[in-house]
């Protein structure tokens, strides 16, 4: 059982790191006047610093998921507006309905959800 919990924690930490790396890559901001996601932010350290506690990682994942939700919706709405003007050729109906930035934000959101699930599976509630 201990090994399973350990594997869940390793997985959760890795997913949190990947989410943080994506956010840094796109110079993520919660709103236009906010600072970019980076070393000056506590959340950045909580996600990318190998010595950060898992409790701080969990809190950072929760904070960022909350911040991402409305931005994902905005990107989807922008894509829908563009589709009305220039309909895509999508015979299978399986393409993402979002912008490139929205696709990154949805990917990061999925990483954060998976990380939180792994932390939970490891016994962290």
């Amino acid at each position: 059982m201990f090994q399973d919990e350990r594997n869940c924690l390793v997985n959760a930490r890795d997913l949190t790191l990947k989410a943080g790396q994506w956010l840094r890559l796109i110079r993520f901001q919660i709103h236009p006047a906010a600072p970019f996601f980076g070393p000056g932010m506590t959340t950045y350290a909580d996600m990318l610093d190998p010595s950060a506690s898992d409790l701080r990682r969990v809190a950072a994942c929760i904070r960022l998921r909350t911040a991402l939700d409305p931005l994902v919706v905005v990107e989807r709405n922008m894509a829908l507006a563009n589709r009305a003007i220039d309909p895509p050729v999508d015979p299978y109906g399986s393409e993402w309905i979002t912008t490139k930035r929205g696709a990154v934000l949805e990917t990061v959101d999925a990483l954060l959800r998976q990380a939180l699930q792994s932390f939970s599976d490891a016994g962290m509630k």
Side-chain angles (χ1 to χ4, degrees), residues 15-49 56-57 59-61 63-65 67-68 71 101 105 108 112:
L15 291 165
T16 303
L17 174 65
K18 282 181 173 58
Q21 289 170 325
W22 272 107
L23 293 172
R24 181 69 178 149
L25 182 68
I26 65 167
R27 298 177 55 101
F28 176 72
Q29 293 173 276
I30 293 173
H31 57 80
F36 291 115
F37 181 82
M41 300 177 71
T42 310
T43 305
Y44 175 91
D46 294 341
M47 294 178 76
L48 278 76
D49 183 354
R56 292 183 69 97
R57 283 188 182 93
C61 289
R63 280 193 308 271
L64 281 167
R65 284 224 49 240
L68 286 174
L71 300 176
R101 181 177 173 79
L105 296 178
V108 170
L112 294 172

Side-chain angles (χ1 to χ4, degrees), residues 21-122:
Q21 289 170 325
W22 272 107
L23 293 172
R24 181 69 178 149
L25 182 68
I26 65 167
R27 298 177 55 101
F28 176 72
Q29 293 173 276
I30 293 173
H31 57 80
F36 291 115
F37 181 82
M41 300 177 71
T42 310
T43 305
Y44 175 91
D46 294 341
M47 294 178 76
L48 278 76
D49 183 354
S51 66
S53 74
D54 289 328
L55 287 174
R56 292 183 69 97
R57 283 188 182 93
V58 168
C61 289
I62 292 168
R63 280 193 308 271
L64 281 167
R65 284 224 49 240
T66 302
L68 286 174
D69 285 343
L71 300 176
V72 166
V73 172
V74 166
E75 297 297 326
R76 275 194 205 133
N77 288 338
M78 287 172 39
L80 285 170
N82 289 338
R83 282 178 152 229
I85 297 165
D86 185 20
V89 177
D90 181 12
Y92 307 106
S94 59
E95 292 180 10
W96 250 328
I97 302 174
T98 189
T99 63
K100 287 179 186 178
R101 181 177 173 79
V104 171
L105 296 178
E106 287 185 34
T107 299
V108 170
D109 187 57
L111 289 169
L112 294 172
R113 277 188 278 110
Q114 292 169 7
L116 288 168
Q117 183 61 55
S118 289
F119 279 124
S120 178
D121 292 346

